[in-house]
């Protein structure tokens, strides 16, 4: 079966660093995406990993280990506006555009 | 223009009504998607269109009927829905993936559907 797991909820303090983990067991692997979704809004793209290693984009970085079926999203210098849900999604087959979404992690940032 | 638009924003319909949700993008994307999202849950894929042809139907009940009239438009026709179909319906688009190349999906703001 297809399984993508994330912690349900996390809390952190403004200015801190938080790491959101994602583990996946899928029939195939052709890339992993991270999306941010504020309450009542559409998901927005944050990052994409297909090769092992770290991708950095400003305050956000994403890491992938294909051998371990593991990714994390690292958020630095947290701001109140980072309070949102963070969704990990895997493209499991090269012949389709289908993404399998993880359970999502709700992050709350406190002052 | 990196926008996906959806209409209407909100829709309330009875179980005997017929209504349609509309989605439009002008980014030249050839893959378009419908998702259903319940509160505090991730989006669930319903349908994928690739080059205007239905490529994936995730065993969605026939009371949901997708249509892709051209490369910019995607519709979702609704008929005889149930209260449990109440949810946020998201449309998304992307470049069509090929082999090892994957592209991010751009999501519209969604239609919040309530079935009474």
């Amino acid at each position: 079966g297809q399984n993508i797991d994330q912690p349900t909820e996390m809390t952190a303090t403004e200015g801190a660093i938080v790491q959101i983990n994602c583990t996946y067991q899928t029939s195939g692997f052709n890339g992993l995406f991270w999306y941010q979704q504020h309450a009542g809004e559409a998901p927005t793209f944050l990052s994409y990993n297909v090769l092992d290693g770290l991708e950095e984009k400003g305050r956000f970085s994403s890491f992938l280990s294909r051998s371990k079926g593991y990714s994390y999203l690292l958020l630095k210098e947290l701001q109140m506006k980072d309070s949102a849900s963070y969704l990990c999604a895997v493209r499991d087959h090269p012949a389709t555009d289908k993404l399998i979404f993880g359970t999502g992690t709700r992050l709350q940032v406190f002052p | 223009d990196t926008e996906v638009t959806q209409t209407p924003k909100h829709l309330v319909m009875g179980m005997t009504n017929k209504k349609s949700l509309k989605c439009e993008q002008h980014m030249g994307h050839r893959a378009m998607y419908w998702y259903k999202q319940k509160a505090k849950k991730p989006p669930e894929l319903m349908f994928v269109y690739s080059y205007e042809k239905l490529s994936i139907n995730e065993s969605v009940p026939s009371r949901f009927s997708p249509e892709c009239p051209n490369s910019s438009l995607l519709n979702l026709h609704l008929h005889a829905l149930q209260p449990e179909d109440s949810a946020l319906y998201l449309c998304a688009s992307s470049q069509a993936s090929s082999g090892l190349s994957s592209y991010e999906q751009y999501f519209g703001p969604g239609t919040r559907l309530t079935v009474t």
Side-chain angles (χ1 to χ4, degrees):
Chain A
Q2 314 277 46
N3 204 39
I4 302 177
D5 285 321
Q6 303 177 233
T8 305
E9 292 188 351
M10 297 182 72
T11 59
T13 306
E14 202 173 11
I17 299 173
V18 72
Q19 177 174 313
I20 302 174
N21 295 327
C22 170
T23 57
Y24 62 89
Q25 289 176 300
T26 53
S27 53
F29 180 83
N30 286 273
L32 186 144
F33 294 82
W34 283 96
Y35 284 85
Q36 179 191 60
Q37 186 176 25
H38 286 98
E41 297 182 13
T44 54
F45 169 74
L46 289 177
S47 70
Y48 169 67
N49 296 72
V50 67
L51 298 176
D52 290 350
L54 190 67
E55 294 282 339
E56 297 188 79
K57 250 191 190 183
R59 292 189 301 116
F60 293 2
S61 305
S62 58
F63 171 83
L64 175 67
S65 169
R66 288 172 296 170
S67 62
K68 295 182 179 174
Y70 168 69
S71 173
Y72 67 72
L73 181 69
L74 194 70
L75 292 75
K76 302 176 192 173
E77 300 168 18
L78 280 174
Q79 302 175 9
M80 298 295 289
K81 66 178 182 180
D82 297 328
S83 294
S85 286
Y86 291 86
L87 301 162
C88 167
V90 171
R91 179 176 171 229
D92 72 327
H93 197 284
T96 80
D97 295 297
K98 177 178 173 179
L99 289 183
I100 305 166
F101 278 87
T103 47
T105 299
R106 281 192 302 282
L107 173 67
Q108 193 152 7
V109 180
F110 291 100
Chain B
D1 181 8
T2 57
E3 193 181 18
V4 176
T5 58
Q6 289 186 244
T7 54
K9 284 188 167 44
H10 300 274
L11 178 63
V12 179
M13 60 185 290
M15 290 190 283
T16 58
N17 291 159
K18 281 186 183 181
K19 296 286 184 185
S20 296
L21 309 185
K22 296 186 183 305
C23 173
E24 189 167 4
Q25 57 87 15
H26 295 286
M27 293 178 276
H29 290 166
R30 302 308 294 274
M32 295 187 77
Y33 313 78
W34 281 116
Y35 289 90
K36 172 182 177 181
Q37 188 175 28
K38 293 277 207 179
K40 298 187 178 181
K41 296 288 186 185
E44 293 174 45
L45 182 67
M46 300 174 72
F47 302 104
V48 181
Y49 273 83
S50 185
Y51 295 93
E52 295 88 73
K53 291 195 187 322
L54 184 65
S55 60
I56 295 176
N57 176 342
E58 291 285 284
S59 303
V60 178
S62 60
R63 56 185 185 269
F64 295 92
S65 175
E67 179 197 18
C68 190
N70 60 55
S71 60
S72 299
L73 293 173
L74 187 66
N75 298 322
L76 187 61
H77 303 297
L78 314 172
H79 174 53
L81 294 194
Q82 304 296 310
E84 58 265 29
D85 296 322
S86 298
L88 180 68
Y89 288 83
L90 292 163
C91 172
S93 72
S94 73
Q95 294 185 50
S97 300
S98 60
L100 297 178
S101 298
S102 294
Y103 301 98
E104 69 267 28
Q105 295 181 18
Y106 291 79
F107 285 82
T111 294
R112 189 157 298 283
L113 174 68
T114 303
V115 182
T116 59

